[in-house]
Amino acid sequence: MPRPALRLAVEIDGDGAHPAAWRRAAHSPGELLTPRRLARVAAVAENAGFTLVTLDDSILPPGSGAGPAGRIGAVERAAFVAASTSVLGVAPVLATTYAEPFHVSSQLASLDHVSAGRAGWVVGVESDPAAARAWGRPPVEGSAATAREARDGLRVVRDLWDSWEDDAVIRSVATSRYLDRSRLHSIDFTGETYSVKGPSIVPRPPQGRPVVLARPGIVPAELTDVALVGGGSVADVGAAAAGDSASPRAFAEIEVALDTPHETAGERITDLERYAPWTARPDRLRYAGPAAGLVSLLTELHGRVDGVRLHPLVLDEDLAVLSRLVLPELFVRRIAARPLPGTTLRASLGLPRPLSRFTTTDTAAATPVREEIR
């Protein structure tokens, strides 16, 4: 039986995975934050066949020195990408360490409505004390405390998505009724540091719940849809994916630096190392070399993970090589698959659409089933 094809994601925040990537970017310094540039990058990723793009975020500035002094929030950028694309999944990074889970839930539900079911959420954490000062909140100190806030925040967000059953909105002109109040539910969450009551203010998202992605250990695996796993070798990545069996899907985190027509990957890295080191991360695999080698690496990962999230060294340079030499070869070999038009992100990832946890058996039987194109 053939193995399921890989799904491909790429991180498109900023200029690339290297801290000095902006020095080699093809755009002018002031263009980084413009919607026009973001739309161009998203269009390249969608046309290349990526299933998903992610957008990193923090309340703190993304860099220092000559780098950008600020950026538009990830959800706002994701909404712009969703409106300018038609197939591409969009997943911003959002942390509930200090942000209100009620607001996070509403933002992501709205993003799913805007994108017609192509929204995801990369669960993040804020560990820098400067983030607490920016929020005007007491600092959350220690890994256990940040994990608690992430866990509680995710549970609240999921419950708020479920607080509207699928058929709560009836829009009956004859009776002048917009919704069935019996299909709205109070979540009444009480955690260690806060409580939340009442239903969401946004109807249930088209996917039921937008796709949740998270690194292992941040939140309980059974609450996530995609585990973002890494390691120093293919074997380590495979072991990490196998060890997170509670998550339905596992994506390998890979930093990539590719040969371009004019320079090798090593030469490009050496050039950037003059300005800042590219420190290896234990939670990411790293590849540097020709496009053919990356195709071989992804072929080796095929069957060990369900997809990959690529972090290009320099987005403008590496995304072009990925689009021209890597993804077409993966599609020809049937190692990876493009998302199909008209599908939700859940359908593209082979994930079922969940019922609201408040749905009764009778309600589920009466709710029409929406079939997705596969």
Side-chain angles (χ1 to χ4, degrees):
M1 183 176 178
R3 296 170 176 173
L6 293 173
R7 265 47 182 185
L8 307 174
V10 60
E11 169 61 43
I12 63 170
D13 175 70
D15 284 314
H18 196 286
W22 62 273
R23 293 180 177 274
R24 295 180 63 96
H27 63 82
S28 61
E31 195 185 2
L32 172 62
L33 303 177
T34 64
R36 186 175 299 173
R37 167 178 159 74
L38 185 63
R40 282 204 308 268
V41 172
V44 171
E46 181 171 58
N47 293 336
F50 281 98
T51 298
L52 173 69
V53 294
T54 61
L55 292 155
D56 202 1
D57 200 18
S58 171
I59 195 173
L60 302 175
S64 58
R71 57 184 161 197
I72 302 170
V75 177
E76 290 78 11
R77 287 179 286 146
F80 185 84
V81 169
S84 62
T85 55
S86 59
V87 179
L88 191 66
V90 188
V93 172
L94 278 174
T96 57
T97 310
Y98 301 105
E100 296 287 350
F102 192 93
H103 297 158
V104 171
S105 168
S106 299
Q107 288 179 308
L108 293 169
S110 299
L111 178 62
D112 206 42
H113 283 287
V114 168
S115 64
R118 293 181 284 125
W121 173 25
V122 182
V123 180
V125 295
E126 292 279 14
S127 57
D128 193 326
R133 293 193 295 271
W135 279 102
R137 300 281 185 86
V140 176
E141 298 178 336
S143 58
T146 53
R148 176 200 64 217
E149 295 301 315
R151 179 198 66 220
D152 287 355
L154 176 54
R155 285 176 174 159
V156 169
V157 169
R158 282 167 50 100
D159 285 352
L160 286 167
W161 289 336
D162 284 353
S163 65
W164 290 56
E165 293 186 38
D166 289 323
D167 57 348
V169 178
I170 55 179
R171 296 186 178 92
S172 173
V173 176
T175 61
S176 298
R177 295 176 65 207
Y178 175 75
L179 56 84
D180 181 350
R181 293 185 63 184
S182 69
R183 305 300 191 198
L184 269 63
H185 304 276
S186 177
I187 69 167
D188 294 335
F189 174 87
T190 301
E192 294 181 40
T193 58
Y194 59 85
S195 62
V196 178
K197 295 184 181 294
S200 172
I201 58 173
V202 180
R204 195 156 196 251
Q207 295 183 97
R209 299 174 196 144
V211 175
V212 176
L213 306 91
R215 298 195 309 274
I218 291 182
V219 290
E222 64 271 14
L223 299 181
T224 65
D225 299 301
V226 179
L228 300 173
V229 300
S233 66
V234 171
D236 291 341
V237 171
D244 202 304
S245 57
S247 298
R249 298 288 181 267
F251 274 32
E253 295 271 59
I254 309 177
E255 295 179 327
V256 295
L258 298 170
D259 293 353
T260 67
H262 306 292
E263 295 174 285
T264 66
E267 290 170 340
R268 296 173 59 222
I269 294 171
T270 299
D271 177 51
L272 291 173
E273 292 287 289
R274 294 183 298 149
Y275 307 104
W278 193 24
T279 306
R281 293 179 48 156
D283 59 342
R284 292 181 186 174
L285 189 62
R286 180 176 290 182
Y287 172 80
L294 180 58
V295 171
S296 297
L297 174 64
L298 297 180
T299 302
E300 192 176 356
L301 284 169
H302 183 215
R304 297 173 185 254
V305 294
D306 304 289
V308 298
R309 181 167 70 144
L310 304 179
H311 300 263
L313 176 79
V314 179
L315 190 60
D316 289 334
E317 296 176 342
D318 292 283
L319 187 57
V321 180
L322 289 167
S323 303
R324 195 169 58 248
L325 300 178
V326 177
L327 269 67
E329 185 65 22
L330 294 174
F331 297 146
V332 167
R333 297 187 186 187
R334 298 188 177 182
I335 299 300
R338 287 176 172 270
L340 297 176
T343 57
T344 65
L345 180 55
R346 280 190 169 273
S348 293
L349 298 179
L351 295 168
R353 185 184 186 281
L355 290 171
S356 163
R357 73 175 181 87
F358 297 102
T359 301
T360 63
T361 303
D362 293 340
T363 303
T367 302
V369 176
R370 303 176 185 175
E371 293 187 357
E372 303 288 358
I373 301 172
R374 294 183 182 275

